[in-house]
Amino acid sequence: MFKKIINKIIEGFIKTSGWVSSIIVLLIIIFLFKEASGLFNKTPLEEGYMLVVNKKNPIDKLNPDQLKNIFDRDSTSWKTLGGMNADIEIFTVEDISTFYNDSMIGENMSNLPWCINDHISKTENVISYFPEKYLPKNFEGKILHLDKISVYQFLKNKIWLPSARPVSQVGAMPLIISTLLVSLVAILIALPIGLAAAIYLAEVADSRIRTILKPVIELLAGIPSVVYGFFGLVIIVPFVQKIFNLPVGETGLTGSIILAIMALPTIITVAEDALRSVPKAMKEASLALGATHWQTIYKVMIPYASSGITAAAILGIGRAIGETMVALMVTGNANNFTFSLLKPIRTIPATIAAELGEASYGGLHFKALFALGCILFLITLMINVYVEYLSGKKQTK
Amino acid sequence: MTPKIETKNLQLYYGAHHALKGIDFSANANTVTALIGPSGCGKSTFLRCFNRMNDLIDGCDVEGQILIDGMNINDRYLNVDELRKKVGMVFQKPNPFPKSIFENVAYGLRINGINEKKILEEKVEKALKQAALWEEVKDNLKKSAMSISGGQQQRLCIARALAVEPSLVLMDEPTSALDPISTSKVEELIYQLKEKYTILIVTHNMQQAARVSDKTAFFYIGEMIEYNDTTEIFTNPKIERTQNYITGRFG
């Protein structure tokens, strides 16, 4: 009777644990996507601000890129934007005192809305942004409306400057490219070395050497990533800088090298297991036909273990893609849009880690970072699904 | 006539375990010799001496002479890969590679550096015909070898071994994983292969030994107890232990 109750309790505990952990995972994903989806409800204009032009200005719409150019003073003429033949004049609340004296603005800026209205209606080539609360009552200008940020634009745009004013630039493209590039190169470095080490451990090394080497390699996986980052900063960064004669050594390549080292234990362990699971009969069949040990390895064992080796590579990529600390420390943290490995770049996880602290809660920047998180999640999800698919295929073989 | 294969005072140790105790054995070309005996008696180990497969086992030590065509192969400086090209082996369980039927048979040829398509096709066809499998698979050579039946797989493994044209074929219980019909096909095959090859076959099946072999060797705890013509061994064994084993009183 007593035993039965204990059994029931244990059963209940196990069951709850299973459900609770599944639900937590699910809730995290829902939270991630809910926060991120808020991004696509917003316009890139700073919250609480208005963007206006003179009523006579033929332009009704400007896209974020054009606005950025205007406020960066890169576009100086309305003509280049398809408007009238006049220079662009930028007018903000800070400029008010150049046009109106203190008595006209009034005490506590009570007359500010009137001044804004006056100036905008008088100046044909003006563009202005100001807080919504200063919007004059019978406003005589034209309010420009911006499109909401679309998923397509978010993925396609090449500039990531979420804190730019008055118009945020949230283009995830350079971050996605950097992330994939760094991870891919890391795997290109790690796979040959990892595979060679796996073959050595599984086939060549005698058991005494293996009992020493295997734990050492597995220990590599246990080193905290910040230590790898520190190592990279002190050793690899100057090394890369010197070899390629660069102004800075913090580049995509530097990140790739460290990530490759970090992915090695995963690749070696999984690939070695795959090679070890090749039946002895396969090996013997090949050797008995007069194949050398090496021929047996590359003609029979590697093809037989190929799905396991692929899984090793993909798990390694997964490790590299999500790695934050190292990427933050050694890749230079510059959101360049570049395919070059020798320039400073910034990966998605590094961006999130670096910027989340300075993004205001619930704001555009904050939500954009969550959207980045979603992209990262989807990439790793695809990788995991693919690994599952591969190992499933192996079992049916 | 010099015997095709011969061993002189063959001793084999697995570490401290003395697995073969001074075997003197010889077999002529174009004969089938069956090796029988209870499990663990050393008959498979003995078989594996002829293509040095025991080298793969750590701590295995072989002493004495093993002669093939009068040449001692128990020599540290012998090229083992070359030896294995001349000595084919068929294993207990069918072990085709997870490749196509054609590539399985062609494997040994490719290892030997033959890559010309025409020669490969010719030799694969010949080997499959010798293994009495050609008629069943000739239209499906590209099919995976894993998709054919166990009996067919074993004949494929025989074809794979024959493709490199060995002179000696070692078979380690080749029918133990097969059903009776497949077994009889393989036995028939062994009988035919005798014309071209010298065959050593390990078997647990007394009837099989009686059916396919010319000579039979009975092994017991690392010793070759009796070695004689198969008919003699099965009808008139000289030693009591052989008789007991054959009649099923132990083993």
Side-chain angles (χ1 to χ4, degrees):
Chain A
M1 184 63 202
F2 182 66
K3 258 188 180 168
K4 234 178 177 177
I5 294 169
I6 296 266
N7 277 347
K8 279 273 172 218
I9 292 171
I10 291 172
E11 201 178 290
F13 178 74
I14 292 169
K15 224 185 206 169
T16 344
S17 311
W19 278 104
V20 165
S21 44
S22 310
I23 288 168
I24 288 173
V25 170
L26 210 63
L27 283 178
I28 290 175
I29 295 168
I30 291 171
F31 167 72
L32 183 64
F33 276 86
K34 195 188 129 263
E35 287 294 330
S37 67
L39 176 69
F40 305 109
N41 260 329
K42 288 178 180 279
T43 69
L45 188 65
E46 201 176 349
E47 219 160 329
Y49 275 72
M50 313 281 307
L51 191 67
V52 298
V53 291
N54 185 280
K55 210 187 259 176
K56 289 189 186 131
N57 195 324
I59 285 173
D60 295 314
K61 228 174 204 177
L62 288 168
N63 66 35
D65 276 346
Q66 291 168 324
L67 284 164
K68 176 185 176 286
N69 287 338
I70 291 172
F71 289 103
D72 284 353
R73 268 94 172 161
D74 288 334
S75 305
T76 51
S77 167
W78 284 110
K79 206 171 179 192
T80 55
L81 304 170
M84 59 190 134
N85 194 1
D87 284 348
I88 297 172
E89 190 192 317
I90 299 170
F91 170 70
T92 63
V93 180
E94 286 88 52
D95 303 325
I96 200 86
S97 52
T98 50
F99 300 102
Y100 302 94
N101 61 36
D102 283 357
S103 64
M104 288 171 89
I105 297 168
E107 239 174 87
N108 295 330
M109 297 189 157
S110 57
N111 219 14
L112 187 62
W114 179 87
C115 297
I116 290 172
N117 192 20
D118 186 59
H119 185 75
I120 289 170
S121 58
K122 272 193 218 152
T123 326
E124 270 187 34
N125 60 347
V126 78
I127 182 162
S128 171
Y129 72 98
F130 51 83
E132 252 165 41
K133 60 180 176 182
Y134 295 140
L135 185 68
K137 281 202 182 113
N138 316 308
F139 182 55
E140 288 169 46
K142 181 158 67 174
I143 299 171
L144 287 184
H145 291 286
L146 271 87
D147 282 338
K148 286 176 181 169
I149 298 166
S150 72
V151 178
Y152 175 68
Q153 271 184 335
F154 177 66
L155 294 176
K156 190 203 77 172
N157 282 358
K158 296 191 178 83
I159 297 164
W160 177 264
L161 274 175
S163 49
R165 292 181 71 192
V167 182
S168 299
Q169 302 282 323
V170 282
M173 177 80 110
L175 307 177
I176 297 172
I177 299 281
S178 307
T179 308
L180 294 180
L181 196 67
V182 167
S183 313
L184 204 70
V185 173
I187 223 66
L188 287 182
I189 298 170
L191 194 59
I193 299 173
L195 193 54
I199 290 171
Y200 176 73
L201 281 180
E203 279 300 308
V204 185
D206 66 45
S207 57
R208 215 184 43 227
I209 293 175
R210 187 163 55 238
T211 49
I212 301 167
L213 268 188
K214 194 110 200 256
V216 170
I217 287 168
E218 276 159 7
L219 195 70
L220 267 182
I223 297 175
S225 54
V226 69
V227 174
Y228 278 106
F230 190 59
F231 166 76
L233 216 50
V234 175
I235 309 286
I236 310 285
V237 167
F239 176 76
V240 169
Q241 188 176 5
K242 213 170 173 186
I243 292 277
F244 296 98
N245 198 15
L246 300 170
V248 282
E250 281 123 339
T251 63
L253 182 66
T254 320
S256 294
I257 292 171
I258 310 273
L259 290 179
I261 298 172
M262 290 183 75
L264 271 180
T266 316
I267 293 177
I268 294 173
T269 317
V270 178
E272 197 217 340
D273 284 349
L275 285 170
R276 281 185 168 276
S277 70
V278 174
K280 205 173 135 220
M282 288 294 143
K283 226 176 112 179
E284 286 192 338
S286 172
L287 290 172
L289 284 165
T292 61
H293 193 181
W294 172 236
Q295 281 173 323
T296 302
I297 290 172
Y298 83 85
K299 285 201 162 180
V300 175
M301 299 186 71
I302 291 180
Y304 194 94
S306 60
S307 60
I309 291 168
T310 317
I314 289 171
L315 284 173
I317 291 182
R319 176 110 162 85
I321 279 186
E323 177 49 45
T324 311
M325 207 58 215
V326 164
L328 193 62
M329 287 170 84
V330 303
T331 58
N333 268 326
N335 41 41
N336 277 334
F337 178 70
T338 175
F339 288 97
S340 165
L341 276 172
L342 298 177
K343 285 187 182 150
I345 47 105
R346 182 151 72 176
T347 67
I348 291 177
T351 306
I352 297 174
E355 294 182 4
L356 198 57
E358 65 198 39
S360 63
Y361 182 84
L364 179 85
H365 190 173
F366 183 82
K367 297 205 157 147
L369 291 177
F370 269 93
L372 282 184
C374 284
I375 291 175
L376 197 62
F377 170 73
L378 289 177
I379 293 173
T380 45
L381 181 72
M382 278 192 286
I383 289 170
N384 281 349
V385 168
Y386 189 57
V387 171
E388 284 292 313
Y389 164 76
L390 277 181
S391 49
K393 210 167 83 176
K394 195 177 166 193
Q395 275 158 18
T396 56
K397 188 159 79 180
Chain B
M1 183 171 138
T2 52
K4 174 77 187 167
I5 52 175
E6 205 175 352
T7 65
K8 287 178 184 164
N9 192 24
L10 177 65
Q11 311 274 354
L12 188 143
Y13 304 86
Y14 290 130
H17 176 59
H18 197 175
L20 291 176
K21 300 166 188 167
I23 311 281
D24 292 307
F25 172 90
S26 74
N28 289 331
N30 302 83
T31 56
V32 177
T33 307
L35 310 176
I36 60 171
S39 299
C41 67
K43 56 193 189 305
S44 285
T45 304
F46 179 68
L47 188 78
R48 285 165 164 257
C49 286
F50 291 98
N51 64 348
R52 297 268 301 265
M53 285 303 263
N54 290 321
D55 289 10
L56 300 181
I57 299 158
D58 283 339
C60 181
D61 191 23
V62 187
E63 287 165 18
Q65 282 190 316
I66 307 165
L67 303 156
I68 296 181
D69 295 321
M71 192 183 87
N72 185 17
I73 60 154
N74 189 24
D75 178 347
R76 204 141 50 96
Y77 300 105
L78 180 94
N79 185 335
V80 178
D81 305 322
E82 288 304 316
L83 166 72
R84 287 177 187 154
K85 283 171 188 166
K86 292 183 206 129
V87 182
M89 184 159 189
V90 179
F91 295 84
Q92 197 168 353
K93 277 189 191 151
N95 56 353
F97 302 126
K99 302 172 188 263
S100 71
I101 293 170
F102 183 89
E103 282 305 322
N104 260 281
V105 184
Y107 182 84
L109 300 167
R110 289 192 194 275
I111 292 290
N112 277 324
I114 301 171
N115 278 313
E116 207 176 310
K117 210 176 165 212
K118 219 176 142 198
I119 299 177
L120 281 179
E121 280 172 355
E122 236 168 61
K123 296 209 167 189
V124 167
E125 181 178 340
K126 194 175 150 206
L128 284 170
K129 276 180 175 163
Q130 281 185 330
L133 190 62
W134 176 250
E135 288 304 318
E136 292 162 56
V137 300
K138 64 180 176 189
D139 300 321
N140 297 316
L141 290 177
K142 290 228 164 67
K143 226 166 96 175
S144 165
M146 310 310 261
S147 65
I148 56 179
S149 76
Q152 288 174 323
Q153 283 184 4
Q154 192 62 305
R155 276 178 287 149
L156 179 68
C157 292
I158 293 174
R160 184 175 65 185
L162 298 182
V164 288
E165 293 166 0
S167 54
L168 171 66
V169 179
L170 311 172
M171 296 185 168
D172 192 356
E173 300 181 48
T175 61
S176 67
L178 303 184
D179 63 86
I181 293 168
S182 302
T183 300
S184 72
K185 278 192 180 165
V186 171
E187 281 180 14
E188 215 173 289
L189 181 60
I190 292 167
Y191 198 77
Q192 287 166 10
L193 291 175
K194 194 166 78 172
E195 287 183 17
K196 284 192 144 185
Y197 305 94
T198 307
I199 296 170
L200 271 184
I201 176 169
V202 167
T203 179
H204 273 294
N205 182 330
M206 293 306 123
Q207 285 79 19
Q208 184 171 69
R211 278 194 300 264
V212 301
S213 67
D214 303 306
K215 287 196 153 200
T216 298
F218 172 62
F219 281 74
Y220 185 69
I221 324 181
E223 284 177 76
M224 189 165 76
I225 304 293
E226 193 170 351
Y227 176 44
N228 211 333
D229 288 347
T230 299
T231 41
E232 278 294 300
I233 289 260
F234 280 94
T235 54
N236 188 17
K238 300 279 182 296
I239 294 166
E240 200 189 345
R241 199 177 263 143
T242 315
Q243 187 174 12
N244 288 346
Y245 181 71
I246 287 162
T247 52
R249 239 167 272 173
F250 84 100

